[in-house]
Amino acid sequence: MKKFFRIIALLEGLSYLILLFIGTPMKYFFGNDILVKTLGMPHGILFVVYCVLVLFLRNDYGWNVKDTFIMLILSVLPFGTFYADKKYLK
């Protein structure tokens, strides 16, 4: 389950960066929202799965309330899930 969580964290982080740095500029500067439309829903699902797994696996990793909160906050920060993987998941 921990390996699955690391994969979800990676995919969630990648989809967020693609949406934030490629999809959003394409939509607002060039009027092309195809990337936002196609990647928005998968990213949303990955985000929800990531948050549920954080809560589900907190005891397996030995996280206290503060660490759990940090892991949840890292999901909304650019590059946050990559930091989470390096600091909390290895």
Side-chain angles (χ1 to χ4, degrees), residues 3-29:
K3 178 108 171 137
F4 177 70
F5 180 50
R6 290 186 69 196
I7 292 168
I8 292 296
L10 172 70
L11 292 175
E12 195 274 335
L14 285 174
S15 67
Y16 185 44
L17 291 177
I18 292 169
L19 280 172
L20 190 63
F21 294 116
I22 299 172
T24 303
M26 280 178 56
K27 179 178 179 179
Y28 291 107
F29 294 130

PDB file of all heavy atoms in Angstrom, residues 3-29:
ATOM      1  N   LYS A   3       3.782   1.661  -1.448  1.00  0.00           N
ATOM      2  CA  LYS A   3       4.280   1.885  -2.812  1.00  0.00           C
ATOM      3  C   LYS A   3       3.194   2.538  -3.668  1.00  0.00           C
ATOM      4  O   LYS A   3       3.463   3.467  -4.430  1.00  0.00           O
ATOM      5  CB  LYS A   3       4.716   0.550  -3.412  1.00  0.00           C
ATOM      6  CG  LYS A   3       5.200   0.644  -4.815  1.00  0.00           C
ATOM      7  CD  LYS A   3       6.677   0.467  -4.868  1.00  0.00           C
ATOM      8  CE  LYS A   3       7.104   0.342  -6.309  1.00  0.00           C
ATOM      9  NZ  LYS A   3       8.288   1.099  -6.575  1.00  0.00           N
ATOM     10  N   PHE A   4       1.964   2.061  -3.524  1.00  0.00           N
ATOM     11  CA  PHE A   4       0.831   2.634  -4.245  1.00  0.00           C
ATOM     12  C   PHE A   4       0.661   4.109  -3.883  1.00  0.00           C
ATOM     13  O   PHE A   4       0.425   4.942  -4.749  1.00  0.00           O
ATOM     14  CB  PHE A   4      -0.438   1.833  -3.914  1.00  0.00           C
ATOM     15  CG  PHE A   4      -1.683   2.381  -4.537  1.00  0.00           C
ATOM     16  CD1 PHE A   4      -1.890   2.295  -5.907  1.00  0.00           C
ATOM     17  CD2 PHE A   4      -2.649   2.985  -3.754  1.00  0.00           C
ATOM     18  CE1 PHE A   4      -3.044   2.797  -6.487  1.00  0.00           C
ATOM     19  CE2 PHE A   4      -3.802   3.490  -4.324  1.00  0.00           C
ATOM     20  CZ  PHE A   4      -4.004   3.398  -5.693  1.00  0.00           C
ATOM     21  N   PHE A   5       0.812   4.430  -2.593  1.00  0.00           N
ATOM     22  CA  PHE A   5       0.688   5.817  -2.142  1.00  0.00           C
ATOM     23  C   PHE A   5       1.763   6.700  -2.764  1.00  0.00           C
ATOM     24  O   PHE A   5       1.485   7.816  -3.195  1.00  0.00           O
ATOM     25  CB  PHE A   5       0.746   5.877  -0.619  1.00  0.00           C
ATOM     26  CG  PHE A   5       0.620   7.267  -0.061  1.00  0.00           C
ATOM     27  CD1 PHE A   5      -0.392   8.116  -0.465  1.00  0.00           C
ATOM     28  CD2 PHE A   5       1.504   7.725   0.892  1.00  0.00           C
ATOM     29  CE1 PHE A   5      -0.521   9.395   0.054  1.00  0.00           C
ATOM     30  CE2 PHE A   5       1.385   8.994   1.425  1.00  0.00           C
ATOM     31  CZ  PHE A   5       0.373   9.830   1.006  1.00  0.00           C
ATOM     32  N   ARG A   6       2.973   6.194  -2.852  1.00  0.00           N
ATOM     33  CA  ARG A   6       4.052   6.976  -3.466  1.00  0.00           C
ATOM     34  C   ARG A   6       3.770   7.224  -4.942  1.00  0.00           C
ATOM     35  O   ARG A   6       4.048   8.313  -5.459  1.00  0.00           O
ATOM     36  CB  ARG A   6       5.393   6.274  -3.292  1.00  0.00           C
ATOM     37  CG  ARG A   6       5.856   6.288  -1.837  1.00  0.00           C
ATOM     38  CD  ARG A   6       7.228   5.729  -1.664  1.00  0.00           C
ATOM     39  NE  ARG A   6       8.187   6.644  -2.266  1.00  0.00           N
ATOM     40  CZ  ARG A   6       9.433   6.307  -2.559  1.00  0.00           C
ATOM     41  NH1 ARG A   6       9.872   5.098  -2.327  1.00  0.00           N
ATOM     42  NH2 ARG A   6      10.251   7.183  -3.099  1.00  0.00           N
ATOM     43  N   ILE A   7       3.210   6.252  -5.627  1.00  0.00           N
ATOM     44  CA  ILE A   7       2.860   6.418  -7.043  1.00  0.00           C
ATOM     45  C   ILE A   7       1.758   7.462  -7.194  1.00  0.00           C
ATOM     46  O   ILE A   7       1.834   8.334  -8.057  1.00  0.00           O
ATOM     47  CB  ILE A   7       2.450   5.069  -7.666  1.00  0.00           C
ATOM     48  CG1 ILE A   7       3.656   4.148  -7.748  1.00  0.00           C
ATOM     49  CG2 ILE A   7       1.821   5.263  -9.040  1.00  0.00           C
ATOM     50  CD1 ILE A   7       3.332   2.707  -8.082  1.00  0.00           C
ATOM     51  N   ILE A   8       0.743   7.387  -6.336  1.00  0.00           N
ATOM     52  CA  ILE A   8      -0.348   8.362  -6.375  1.00  0.00           C
ATOM     53  C   ILE A   8       0.195   9.764  -6.101  1.00  0.00           C
ATOM     54  O   ILE A   8      -0.184  10.730  -6.764  1.00  0.00           O
ATOM     55  CB  ILE A   8      -1.461   7.998  -5.372  1.00  0.00           C
ATOM     56  CG1 ILE A   8      -2.172   6.718  -5.806  1.00  0.00           C
ATOM     57  CG2 ILE A   8      -2.457   9.136  -5.200  1.00  0.00           C
ATOM     58  CD1 ILE A   8      -2.919   6.819  -7.117  1.00  0.00           C
ATOM     59  N   ALA A   9       1.093   9.894  -5.123  1.00  0.00           N
ATOM     60  CA  ALA A   9       1.681  11.197  -4.803  1.00  0.00           C
ATOM     61  C   ALA A   9       2.443  11.753  -6.001  1.00  0.00           C
ATOM     62  O   ALA A   9       2.334  12.943  -6.324  1.00  0.00           O
ATOM     63  CB  ALA A   9       2.604  11.082  -3.594  1.00  0.00           C
ATOM     64  N   LEU A  10       3.193  10.902  -6.679  1.00  0.00           N
ATOM     65  CA  LEU A  10       3.937  11.331  -7.867  1.00  0.00           C
ATOM     66  C   LEU A  10       2.989  11.779  -8.977  1.00  0.00           C
ATOM     67  O   LEU A  10       3.159  12.853  -9.563  1.00  0.00           O
ATOM     68  CB  LEU A  10       4.824  10.194  -8.366  1.00  0.00           C
ATOM     69  CG  LEU A  10       5.517  10.439  -9.706  1.00  0.00           C
ATOM     70  CD1 LEU A  10       6.591  11.500  -9.570  1.00  0.00           C
ATOM     71  CD2 LEU A  10       6.096   9.162 -10.247  1.00  0.00           C
ATOM     72  N   LEU A  11       1.983  10.975  -9.258  1.00  0.00           N
ATOM     73  CA  LEU A  11       1.036  11.311 -10.320  1.00  0.00           C
ATOM     74  C   LEU A  11       0.237  12.568  -9.991  1.00  0.00           C
ATOM     75  O   LEU A  11      -0.015  13.402 -10.869  1.00  0.00           O
ATOM     76  CB  LEU A  11       0.096  10.130 -10.578  1.00  0.00           C
ATOM     77  CG  LEU A  11       0.740   8.891 -11.179  1.00  0.00           C
ATOM     78  CD1 LEU A  11      -0.271   7.753 -11.263  1.00  0.00           C
ATOM     79  CD2 LEU A  11       1.328   9.190 -12.541  1.00  0.00           C
ATOM     80  N   GLU A  12      -0.157  12.721  -8.737  1.00  0.00           N
ATOM     81  CA  GLU A  12      -0.900  13.918  -8.322  1.00  0.00           C
ATOM     82  C   GLU A  12      -0.028  15.156  -8.486  1.00  0.00           C
ATOM     83  O   GLU A  12      -0.474  16.181  -9.001  1.00  0.00           O
ATOM     84  CB  GLU A  12      -1.370  13.779  -6.873  1.00  0.00           C
ATOM     85  CG  GLU A  12      -2.424  14.779  -6.462  1.00  0.00           C
ATOM     86  CD  GLU A  12      -1.868  16.110  -5.986  1.00  0.00           C
ATOM     87  OE1 GLU A  12      -0.713  16.151  -5.531  1.00  0.00           O
ATOM     88  OE2 GLU A  12      -2.603  17.104  -6.069  1.00  0.00           O
ATOM     89  N   GLY A  13       1.224  15.052  -8.090  1.00  0.00           N
ATOM     90  CA  GLY A  13       2.143  16.176  -8.231  1.00  0.00           C
ATOM     91  C   GLY A  13       2.405  16.544  -9.680  1.00  0.00           C
ATOM     92  O   GLY A  13       2.409  17.723 -10.042  1.00  0.00           O
ATOM     93  N   LEU A  14       2.605  15.540 -10.513  1.00  0.00           N
ATOM     94  CA  LEU A  14       2.836  15.800 -11.937  1.00  0.00           C
ATOM     95  C   LEU A  14       1.613  16.423 -12.595  1.00  0.00           C
ATOM     96  O   LEU A  14       1.742  17.391 -13.363  1.00  0.00           O
ATOM     97  CB  LEU A  14       3.207  14.503 -12.654  1.00  0.00           C
ATOM     98  CG  LEU A  14       4.609  13.977 -12.440  1.00  0.00           C
ATOM     99  CD1 LEU A  14       4.774  12.602 -13.088  1.00  0.00           C
ATOM    100  CD2 LEU A  14       5.640  14.942 -12.985  1.00  0.00           C
ATOM    101  N   SER A  15       0.441  15.875 -12.309  1.00  0.00           N
ATOM    102  CA  SER A  15      -0.769  16.425 -12.933  1.00  0.00           C
ATOM    103  C   SER A  15      -1.012  17.864 -12.479  1.00  0.00           C
ATOM    104  O   SER A  15      -1.432  18.707 -13.272  1.00  0.00           O
ATOM    105  CB  SER A  15      -1.982  15.543 -12.624  1.00  0.00           C
ATOM    106  OG  SER A  15      -2.326  15.571 -11.260  1.00  0.00           O
ATOM    107  N   TYR A  16      -0.709  18.154 -11.220  1.00  0.00           N
ATOM    108  CA  TYR A  16      -0.880  19.514 -10.712  1.00  0.00           C
ATOM    109  C   TYR A  16       0.067  20.484 -11.413  1.00  0.00           C
ATOM    110  O   TYR A  16      -0.336  21.578 -11.826  1.00  0.00           O
ATOM    111  CB  TYR A  16      -0.649  19.521  -9.204  1.00  0.00           C
ATOM    112  CG  TYR A  16      -0.908  20.848  -8.529  1.00  0.00           C
ATOM    113  CD1 TYR A  16      -2.021  21.615  -8.843  1.00  0.00           C
ATOM    114  CD2 TYR A  16      -0.046  21.337  -7.559  1.00  0.00           C
ATOM    115  CE1 TYR A  16      -2.270  22.822  -8.215  1.00  0.00           C
ATOM    116  CE2 TYR A  16      -0.284  22.533  -6.926  1.00  0.00           C
ATOM    117  CZ  TYR A  16      -1.391  23.274  -7.256  1.00  0.00           C
ATOM    118  OH  TYR A  16      -1.626  24.467  -6.632  1.00  0.00           O
ATOM    119  N   LEU A  17       1.318  20.079 -11.575  1.00  0.00           N
ATOM    120  CA  LEU A  17       2.287  20.952 -12.235  1.00  0.00           C
ATOM    121  C   LEU A  17       1.931  21.180 -13.699  1.00  0.00           C
ATOM    122  O   LEU A  17       2.054  22.298 -14.208  1.00  0.00           O
ATOM    123  CB  LEU A  17       3.697  20.366 -12.116  1.00  0.00           C
ATOM    124  CG  LEU A  17       4.290  20.359 -10.716  1.00  0.00           C
ATOM    125  CD1 LEU A  17       5.649  19.678 -10.730  1.00  0.00           C
ATOM    126  CD2 LEU A  17       4.396  21.764 -10.156  1.00  0.00           C
ATOM    127  N   ILE A  18       1.477  20.141 -14.370  1.00  0.00           N
ATOM    128  CA  ILE A  18       1.078  20.287 -15.773  1.00  0.00           C
ATOM    129  C   ILE A  18      -0.104  21.240 -15.891  1.00  0.00           C
ATOM    130  O   ILE A  18      -0.122  22.122 -16.750  1.00  0.00           O
ATOM    131  CB  ILE A  18       0.765  18.914 -16.399  1.00  0.00           C
ATOM    132  CG1 ILE A  18       2.048  18.100 -16.525  1.00  0.00           C
ATOM    133  CG2 ILE A  18       0.097  19.075 -17.762  1.00  0.00           C
ATOM    134  CD1 ILE A  18       1.824  16.638 -16.880  1.00  0.00           C
ATOM    135  N   LEU A  19      -1.092  21.057 -15.013  1.00  0.00           N
ATOM    136  CA  LEU A  19      -2.246  21.968 -15.039  1.00  0.00           C
ATOM    137  C   LEU A  19      -1.837  23.404 -14.723  1.00  0.00           C
ATOM    138  O   LEU A  19      -2.267  24.340 -15.383  1.00  0.00           O
ATOM    139  CB  LEU A  19      -3.305  21.512 -14.036  1.00  0.00           C
ATOM    140  CG  LEU A  19      -4.210  20.390 -14.477  1.00  0.00           C
ATOM    141  CD1 LEU A  19      -5.075  19.930 -13.308  1.00  0.00           C
ATOM    142  CD2 LEU A  19      -5.079  20.819 -15.634  1.00  0.00           C
ATOM    143  N   LEU A  20      -1.010  23.559 -13.706  1.00  0.00           N
ATOM    144  CA  LEU A  20      -0.647  24.887 -13.230  1.00  0.00           C
ATOM    145  C   LEU A  20       0.255  25.643 -14.208  1.00  0.00           C
ATOM    146  O   LEU A  20       0.023  26.823 -14.482  1.00  0.00           O
ATOM    147  CB  LEU A  20       0.051  24.766 -11.868  1.00  0.00           C
ATOM    148  CG  LEU A  20       0.314  26.030 -11.090  1.00  0.00           C
ATOM    149  CD1 LEU A  20      -0.992  26.710 -10.720  1.00  0.00           C
ATOM    150  CD2 LEU A  20       1.102  25.699  -9.826  1.00  0.00           C
ATOM    151  N   PHE A  21       1.262  24.967 -14.736  1.00  0.00           N
ATOM    152  CA  PHE A  21       2.272  25.664 -15.537  1.00  0.00           C
ATOM    153  C   PHE A  21       2.101  25.522 -17.051  1.00  0.00           C
ATOM    154  O   PHE A  21       2.727  26.263 -17.804  1.00  0.00           O
ATOM    155  CB  PHE A  21       3.673  25.203 -15.138  1.00  0.00           C
ATOM    156  CG  PHE A  21       4.035  25.609 -13.735  1.00  0.00           C
ATOM    157  CD1 PHE A  21       4.258  24.657 -12.755  1.00  0.00           C
ATOM    158  CD2 PHE A  21       4.125  26.941 -13.383  1.00  0.00           C
ATOM    159  CE1 PHE A  21       4.588  25.026 -11.460  1.00  0.00           C
ATOM    160  CE2 PHE A  21       4.452  27.326 -12.087  1.00  0.00           C
ATOM    161  CZ  PHE A  21       4.680  26.363 -11.129  1.00  0.00           C
ATOM    162  N   ILE A  22       1.283  24.582 -17.493  1.00  0.00           N
ATOM    163  CA  ILE A  22       1.051  24.430 -18.927  1.00  0.00           C
ATOM    164  C   ILE A  22      -0.423  24.657 -19.266  1.00  0.00           C
ATOM    165  O   ILE A  22      -0.757  25.461 -20.137  1.00  0.00           O
ATOM    166  CB  ILE A  22       1.522  23.042 -19.430  1.00  0.00           C
ATOM    167  CG1 ILE A  22       3.013  22.873 -19.185  1.00  0.00           C
ATOM    168  CG2 ILE A  22       1.199  22.872 -20.910  1.00  0.00           C
ATOM    169  CD1 ILE A  22       3.550  21.484 -19.457  1.00  0.00           C
ATOM    170  N   GLY A  23      -1.307  23.938 -18.572  1.00  0.00           N
ATOM    171  CA  GLY A  23      -2.731  24.018 -18.883  1.00  0.00           C
ATOM    172  C   GLY A  23      -3.350  25.383 -18.654  1.00  0.00           C
ATOM    173  O   GLY A  23      -4.085  25.895 -19.507  1.00  0.00           O
ATOM    174  N   THR A  24      -3.076  25.985 -17.514  1.00  0.00           N
ATOM    175  CA  THR A  24      -3.660  27.290 -17.202  1.00  0.00           C
ATOM    176  C   THR A  24      -3.162  28.387 -18.143  1.00  0.00           C
ATOM    177  O   THR A  24      -3.976  29.158 -18.660  1.00  0.00           O
ATOM    178  CB  THR A  24      -3.404  27.664 -15.726  1.00  0.00           C
ATOM    179  OG1 THR A  24      -3.952  26.626 -14.904  1.00  0.00           O
ATOM    180  CG2 THR A  24      -4.039  28.980 -15.369  1.00  0.00           C
ATOM    181  N   PRO A  25      -1.861  28.500 -18.410  1.00  0.00           N
ATOM    182  CA  PRO A  25      -1.431  29.505 -19.393  1.00  0.00           C
ATOM    183  C   PRO A  25      -2.018  29.260 -20.786  1.00  0.00           C
ATOM    184  O   PRO A  25      -2.399  30.216 -21.468  1.00  0.00           O
ATOM    185  CB  PRO A  25       0.098  29.354 -19.413  1.00  0.00           C
ATOM    186  CG  PRO A  25       0.444  28.796 -18.092  1.00  0.00           C
ATOM    187  CD  PRO A  25      -0.701  27.892 -17.735  1.00  0.00           C
ATOM    188  N   MET A  26      -2.114  27.983 -21.188  1.00  0.00           N
ATOM    189  CA  MET A  26      -2.718  27.700 -22.492  1.00  0.00           C
ATOM    190  C   MET A  26      -4.161  28.175 -22.538  1.00  0.00           C
ATOM    191  O   MET A  26      -4.622  28.707 -23.544  1.00  0.00           O
ATOM    192  CB  MET A  26      -2.675  26.193 -22.785  1.00  0.00           C
ATOM    193  CG  MET A  26      -1.348  25.689 -23.297  1.00  0.00           C
ATOM    194  SD  MET A  26      -1.330  23.900 -23.588  1.00  0.00           S
ATOM    195  CE  MET A  26      -2.683  23.686 -24.715  1.00  0.00           C
ATOM    196  N   LYS A  27      -4.875  27.981 -21.439  1.00  0.00           N
ATOM    197  CA  LYS A  27      -6.287  28.361 -21.404  1.00  0.00           C
ATOM    198  C   LYS A  27      -6.462  29.875 -21.428  1.00  0.00           C
ATOM    199  O   LYS A  27      -7.270  30.406 -22.195  1.00  0.00           O
ATOM    200  CB  LYS A  27      -6.942  27.777 -20.154  1.00  0.00           C
ATOM    201  CG  LYS A  27      -8.408  28.137 -20.024  1.00  0.00           C
ATOM    202  CD  LYS A  27      -9.030  27.500 -18.795  1.00  0.00           C
ATOM    203  CE  LYS A  27     -10.492  27.897 -18.692  1.00  0.00           C
ATOM    204  NZ  LYS A  27     -11.133  27.285 -17.531  1.00  0.00           N
ATOM    205  N   TYR A  28      -5.731  30.578 -20.585  1.00  0.00           N
ATOM    206  CA  TYR A  28      -5.972  32.014 -20.431  1.00  0.00           C
ATOM    207  C   TYR A  28      -5.196  32.898 -21.401  1.00  0.00           C
ATOM    208  O   TYR A  28      -5.635  34.002 -21.699  1.00  0.00           O
ATOM    209  CB  TYR A  28      -5.714  32.432 -18.988  1.00  0.00           C
ATOM    210  CG  TYR A  28      -6.763  31.859 -18.059  1.00  0.00           C
ATOM    211  CD1 TYR A  28      -6.469  30.814 -17.205  1.00  0.00           C
ATOM    212  CD2 TYR A  28      -8.066  32.346 -18.091  1.00  0.00           C
ATOM    213  CE1 TYR A  28      -7.443  30.276 -16.387  1.00  0.00           C
ATOM    214  CE2 TYR A  28      -9.049  31.818 -17.284  1.00  0.00           C
ATOM    215  CZ  TYR A  28      -8.729  30.785 -16.430  1.00  0.00           C
ATOM    216  OH  TYR A  28      -9.706  30.237 -15.622  1.00  0.00           O
ATOM    217  N   PHE A  29      -4.064  32.437 -21.904  1.00  0.00           N
ATOM    218  CA  PHE A  29      -3.308  33.257 -22.840  1.00  0.00           C
ATOM    219  C   PHE A  29      -3.589  32.907 -24.296  1.00  0.00           C
ATOM    220  O   PHE A  29      -3.495  33.762 -25.170  1.00  0.00           O
ATOM    221  CB  PHE A  29      -1.804  33.150 -22.573  1.00  0.00           C
ATOM    222  CG  PHE A  29      -1.383  33.728 -21.247  1.00  0.00           C
ATOM    223  CD1 PHE A  29      -0.588  32.990 -20.383  1.00  0.00           C
ATOM    224  CD2 PHE A  29      -1.788  34.994 -20.859  1.00  0.00           C
ATOM    225  CE1 PHE A  29      -0.202  33.518 -19.158  1.00  0.00           C
ATOM    226  CE2 PHE A  29      -1.405  35.514 -19.636  1.00  0.00           C
ATOM    227  CZ  PHE A  29      -0.614  34.781 -18.784  1.00  0.00           C
TER     228      PHE A  29
END
